Amino acid sequence: MMNMMIARKLQWVAVALMVLTSVWSALGQESTSTPLERFFFDSVPVIEVVNFEASPTVLTYLMETVWNSSETDRTLLEFRVMQPLVPEDDPRGVPDSTRLSAWHLWTSQSSYASRAALYRYTEQPSLAASVRSAQYMSRISDLGGCHYCESSPAYTPLPRGKLPVMGLFETSQQQGAYPLESTFAIYLAQQTSQEKGTLDFVPIHAFSSEPTSTRLPYLFDFLNFWEMYSEPSAFDYHITNVNETLRPMAPSWSIDMGNVGKHWYSVLKYTSGCYKC
């Protein structure tokens, strides 16, 4: 009970800090004529995931054309090419050769909206028919990055011949046994960032539809996570840490977090997270 009270207080502290930061930013820009709402749209990082029917054309386009552009595009913080695993809830699953996904982290909604034509896959004649769906979300925080930055002392070399795995975990805050956002974004932040095999850990809020210049359609009932690990055993290690830390509040991470979905991917190619180090 005491841990739950601490976690709830931390959540209120986090909210207060976010409000103060927004006000401070606004005051710093008061000499301009830009509406305050515009600052918010220009500062919220947006994640876009586009899902394709796999083909040599799609794979080549993502691994070469988009990849080469992502290396110099300063509005695209990170880019990853992924292949869903089967079964989808198992990090040790087999890659599904019929599907591919492109994962983009844009600096803001504005940079997403003004992205170059080569990222607008439905407008590319050779790709449009292969696009199956898209997902949109907002990054809340980022607890990883340096473990897959080769110039960082924290760099963790991947096991020889292995590709990292990445999971999307969907959780309902209404079903959770404790406040999820404060627990993982603050309470467990330090422990998670120190796990060598945890390459990236990104709490997110999903959008119900594509964000626009006037609307960010948040689904606040859900708090989801993108997590990238050097190998499946690194995820096992992370879960052990979570279970040990949260045991007084919630004996089972999967049930008591309000988990409603798990989707695992093999990461075929990914840009560096050095900008976070």
Side-chain angles (χ1 to χ4, degrees):
M1 178 63 68
M2 181 62 68
N3 285 337
M4 184 177 292
M5 292 176 63
I6 293 173
R8 291 189 183 279
K9 288 181 180 179
L10 286 172
Q11 187 176 35
W12 283 110
V13 170
V15 171
L17 288 173
M18 290 173 62
V19 172
L20 287 173
T21 300
S22 298
V23 172
W24 183 263
S25 297
L27 290 175
Q29 302 287 342
E30 62 182 1
S31 61
T32 73
S33 59
T34 306
L36 296 181
E37 292 85 352
R38 189 71 262 149
F39 296 131
F40 186 68
F41 279 80
D42 289 342
S43 63
V44 174
V46 169
I47 294 175
E48 172 202 20
V49 183
V50 181
N51 304 302
F52 300 86
E53 179 182 339
S55 72
T57 299
V58 173
L59 182 62
T60 300
Y61 188 88
L62 295 178
M63 297 285 269
E64 296 181 9
T65 305
V66 179
W67 177 266
N68 292 337
S69 176
S70 70
E71 292 282 85
T72 57
D73 190 336
R74 295 294 175 256
T75 65
L76 181 58
L77 293 176
E78 293 191 65
F79 173 68
R80 298 169 188 172
V81 182
M82 312 184 302
Q83 197 155 38
L85 298 180
V86 180
E88 67 176 0
D89 61 353
D90 185 356
R92 294 173 171 82
V94 177
D96 184 348
S97 62
T98 68
R99 295 186 290 162
L100 285 169
S101 295
W103 190 95
H104 319 71
L105 173 57
W106 300 97
T107 56
S108 66
Q109 185 279 331
S110 298
S111 62
Y112 162 73
S114 60
R115 67 197 185 284
L118 68 92
Y119 302 112
R120 300 174 184 270
Y121 305 115
T122 56
E123 298 176 11
Q124 297 295 324
S126 62
L127 302 178
S130 298
V131 176
R132 290 292 171 262
S133 62
Q135 301 158 273
Y136 308 95
M137 52 215 75
S138 169
R139 187 188 72 181
I140 300 171
S141 60
D142 196 329
L143 309 181
C146 295
H147 290 308
Y148 60 105
C149 170
E150 294 188 11
S151 62
S152 169
Y155 175 62
T156 302
L158 292 177
R160 183 179 295 275
K162 297 285 187 179
L163 293 172
V165 292
M166 189 166 173
L168 171 61
F169 298 87
E170 300 167 320
T171 63
S172 167
Q173 297 202 85
Q174 292 184 343
Q175 298 179 31
Y178 45 85
L180 299 176
E181 187 164 343
S182 61
T183 298
F184 282 90
I186 301 176
Y187 188 55
L188 289 177
Q190 183 176 359
Q191 297 96 313
T192 301
S193 64
Q194 291 176 348
E195 297 169 349
K196 289 188 175 181
T198 302
L199 304 180
D200 205 13
F201 190 93
V202 185
I204 61 169
H205 280 307
F207 291 142
S208 60
S209 59
E210 183 177 13
T212 70
S213 60
T214 59
R215 184 169 180 265
L216 296 176
Y218 280 103
L219 291 172
F220 283 118
D221 284 347
F222 294 89
L223 179 70
N224 302 336
F225 302 87
W226 280 107
E227 305 174 21
M228 186 163 72
Y229 296 92
S230 59
E231 55 185 326
S233 61
F235 173 66
D236 299 337
Y237 180 75
H238 169 70
I239 292 306
T240 298
N241 285 346
V242 170
N243 284 342
E244 289 300 321
T245 304
L246 299 182
R247 192 178 302 280
M249 290 188 286
S252 171
W253 74 273
S254 181
I255 298 174
D256 293 308
M257 276 183 65
N259 188 276
V260 294
K262 290 174 282 190
H263 311 274
W264 282 98
Y265 301 79
S266 173
V267 184
L268 306 182
K269 203 169 187 178
Y270 55 99
T271 53
S272 166
C274 293
Y275 73 95
K276 293 176 281 191
C277 301

